[in-house]
Each structure stands twice: as C-alpha cells, then as structure tokens.
C-alpha cells in the first residue's frame, strides 16, 4: 500500500488530536462529502467527525459552482462542527479553517500561501484550496456547521479549461508528487488547536494572524456583489467576517459575501 493511500486507519494513525479526525468516514467515491457530512450530522454524529473521499461526483463550491478534482489526486473532506457560536458568528470557523490550511501548506511545502476573503487559499496569485461552510439553524440556535475543504494537491488544474489560468496545485508548484496524509494530519491538528482557542475567547489574536496572511487587507481591490462592481481599499474584516471597502471618496461599504480580486489599477 502506498504511503498516500487514504483509509480510516491510515488517517488515524499517529494523529495528535483528541477530537478532529478521531471518527472517520472514508468513502472511495461519493457525491459530495458535504452532503454525506450533513446526513451524518443529522443522525447525531459527533463533532470532529471527518468525512473524506478520493472522488466526488457532485463536488460543490461556493455559489453553487462545481468543484473539479480528478479521482485519487487531491484532498476532499468535510468536518462536522457543533460550536457554541451564534449563526452570525460562524464565519469565525472559516477564519480558523483558512488559517489552519494556509499555515499547514506553508509548513509542509514551504510555499508562500495566502488567504483571500472569504474562503480561498492562494499561492502565487492562483487558487490552491477552497472552503465551503454550510450551517443548520433552528430559530436562533445553531445546530451544526459542515466545513468542506478541497485542496489541489496532485491534480493539474491547467488541464481544465475553466480554471486553467486561475488555479494551481501543490504538485504544479513543487514539480513533484506530494503526500496527502501528512498534510491532512497537520491541518486537523492546527484546526483543533485554533478551534479550542476560539472557544477560549482568543478570536482577536487568531484574526490578527489571519490578517498577516490576508491577500487583500489594505490592498486596492475590485469587489463584485449582486451584479455590481466596486473599487476601493479592503480593510480588515470584523469579528463576524464582514469586509469593509473604502472607496476614493472615503465612503465605506460593507460586504457579507462577494467575489474579490486584486485591482490592476
Ligand atoms: C469554493 O472554493 O468554492 C469551495 C470549494 C469547496 C470544495 C470542497 S471539496 C470537499 C467538500 N465537498 C464538496 O462538495 N465541496 C467541499
């Protein structure tokens, strides 16, 4: 068995966590790990349960986009969270998740990895990973959150016409195959630490760290939201993940969700 073969046993072996990845649902192929995770959460599966696959037939990205990934190449997984947060605070999970992914890729590959609000991870101006968070809410109460993560590890996104210019992978950057299991373990370990710190009230220092890795903070950007385009300087996000854009006239505009790109001007 190759050192990169995914299985529940291989994932759990040597994993230094007490919660994340201690329950693993490994599927050689599935529709979408987010969908399987939602069904598992509804059945009461515990926080930290990891749902991971080698292949998705209906992998989804943000804004109902398709998430492309060829079989057996990348990391495609979802985690169940049952956090003590209000629904409006759940963006904090995306902050700690993107921080864990960016730092793990930096640590394991040496690549200069940055975070692009709201949920993308970039290397050399190209997307290398994405996060899709989905919540279940009853009234004001958050039941659970599914955080789905796709990381381009050994695929070659340049072969896919729609993302050939905008995406990259670890293999493309390092010019060699990269083992997925070690990277997954580091992500789960960092994420567990940051999640604990979030619950200990340490979000401000995690957000400061996120700011230092942010691709857009204090940069000139274009923001596309609900069919309109806005130009300005991106300020730091607030505690609920809301982005403030300051335009030339010093007018501030806030965005909960949008597509941002660095301005060419
Ligand atoms: C994005 O950048 O738009 C988010 C991409 C999230 C993709 C991952 S792959 C594992 C999980 N299952 C899915 O269907 N989507 C997420």
């Amino acid at each position: 068995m190759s050192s990169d073969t995914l299985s529940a046993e291989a994932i759990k072996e040597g994993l230094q966590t007490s919660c994340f990845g201690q329950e693993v649902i490994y599927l050689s192929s599935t529709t979408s790990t987010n969908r399987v995770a939602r069904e598992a959460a509804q059945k009461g599966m515990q926080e930290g349960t990891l749902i991971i696959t080698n292949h998705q037939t209906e992998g989804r990205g943000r804004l109902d986009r398709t998430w492309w990934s060829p079989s057996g190449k990348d990391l495609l997984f979802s985690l169940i969270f049952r956090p003590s947060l209000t629904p409006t605070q759940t963006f904090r999970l995306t902050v700690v998740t993107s921080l864990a992914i960016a730092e793990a890729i930096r640590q394991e590959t040496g690549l200069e990895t940055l975070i692009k609000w709201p949920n993308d991870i970039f290397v050399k101006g190209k997307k290398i990973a994405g996060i899709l968070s989905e919540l279940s809410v009853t009234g004001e109460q958050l039941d659970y959150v599914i955080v789905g993560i796709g990381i381009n590890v050994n695929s070659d996104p340049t072969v896919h016409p729609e993302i050939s210019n905008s995406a990259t992978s670890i293999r493309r950057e390092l010019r060699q195959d990269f083992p997925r299991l070690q990277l997954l373990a580091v992500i789960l370990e960092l994420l567990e630490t940051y999640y604990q710190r979030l619950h200990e009230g340490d979000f401000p220092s995690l957000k400061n760290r996120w700011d230092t890795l942010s691709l857009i903070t204090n940069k000139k950007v274009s923001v596309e939201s609900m069919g309109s385009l806005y130009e300005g300087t991106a300020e730091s996000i607030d505690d609920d993940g809301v982005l403030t854009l300051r335009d030339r006239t010093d007018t501030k505009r806030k965005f909960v969700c949008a597509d941002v790109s660095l301005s060419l001007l």
Side-chain angles (χ1 to χ4, degrees):
M1 196 187 280
S2 128
S3 65
D4 200 37
T5 305
L6 299 184
S7 69
E9 298 70 41
I11 289 165
K12 285 197 253 183
E13 200 184 304
L15 186 63
Q16 310 270 315
T17 60
S18 56
C19 171
F20 290 176
Q22 291 304 318
E23 268 315 320
V24 177
I25 300 175
Y26 167 70
L27 300 159
S28 56
S29 177
T30 189
T31 51
S32 152
T33 56
N34 267 38
R35 185 188 294 178
V36 178
R38 201 167 52 232
E39 288 161 5
Q42 273 159 6
K43 285 186 194 140
M45 284 296 282
Q46 68 187 50
E47 174 159 82
T49 301
L50 170 73
I51 296 88
I52 183 161
T53 191
N54 247 331
H55 178 63
Q56 294 185 126
T57 53
E58 293 169 36
R60 280 181 304 112
R62 213 162 57 90
L63 308 173
D64 257 339
R65 292 171 184 148
T66 300
W67 184 256
W68 172 87
S69 173
S71 185
K73 298 284 185 190
D74 294 328
L75 278 171
L76 305 166
F77 62 99
S78 303
L79 285 161
I80 299 174
F81 288 82
R82 299 187 184 277
S84 315
L85 295 172
T86 64
T88 52
Q89 290 173 333
T90 47
F91 188 79
R92 296 176 193 197
L93 286 184
T94 305
V95 169
V96 293
T97 304
S98 50
L99 191 57
I101 296 170
E103 290 192 340
I105 297 178
R106 276 178 173 246
Q107 188 179 312
E108 294 303 302
T109 67
L111 294 168
E112 195 186 311
T113 310
L114 296 170
I115 301 165
K116 185 162 83 82
W117 180 90
N119 61 353
D120 293 340
I121 310 295
F122 268 58
V123 168
K124 294 188 190 153
K126 295 190 173 180
K127 181 160 166 170
I128 204 160
I131 301 166
L132 178 66
S133 302
E134 298 180 292
L135 348 173
S136 168
V137 176
T138 309
E140 297 285 287
Q141 183 76 35
L142 188 61
D143 305 322
Y144 60 82
V145 183
I146 304 303
V147 177
I149 298 164
I151 305 176
N152 301 336
V153 181
N154 292 312
S155 61
D156 182 0
T158 62
V159 302
H160 191 278
E162 277 170 32
I163 54 172
S164 59
N165 291 321
S166 59
T168 190
S169 68
I170 294 175
R171 187 181 191 285
R172 266 201 79 76
E173 297 302 327
L174 299 183
R175 297 177 188 281
Q176 59 185 41
D177 273 339
F178 193 81
R180 292 175 292 176
L181 280 169
Q182 168 68 9
L183 179 62
L184 175 66
V186 175
I187 291 171
L188 294 174
E189 287 161 13
L190 283 174
L191 187 52
E192 182 165 295
T193 305
Y194 295 158
Y195 186 58
Q196 268 161 11
R197 285 177 47 190
L198 181 64
H199 279 115
E200 287 160 10
D202 202 14
F203 184 66
S205 76
L206 294 166
K207 192 166 81 75
N208 283 345
R209 210 141 144 184
W210 186 95
D211 269 330
T212 65
L213 296 184
S214 165
L215 185 71
I216 63 163
T217 306
N218 297 325
K219 299 264 172 32
K220 290 224 172 349
V221 295
S222 311
V223 178
E224 197 188 330
S225 173
M226 300 206 269
S228 298
L229 198 65
Y230 306 91
E231 300 272 348
T233 303
E235 297 193 341
S236 183
I237 54 164
D238 73 10
D239 284 357
D240 294 331
V242 177
L243 176 75
T244 302
L245 187 75
R246 189 165 34 81
D247 74 12
R248 270 195 223 148
T249 63
D250 250 0
T251 307
K252 290 189 177 186
R253 214 179 276 275
K254 293 193 181 288
F255 299 90
V256 177
C257 173
D259 271 334
V260 185
S261 44
L262 286 176
S263 216
L264 299 173
L265 301 172

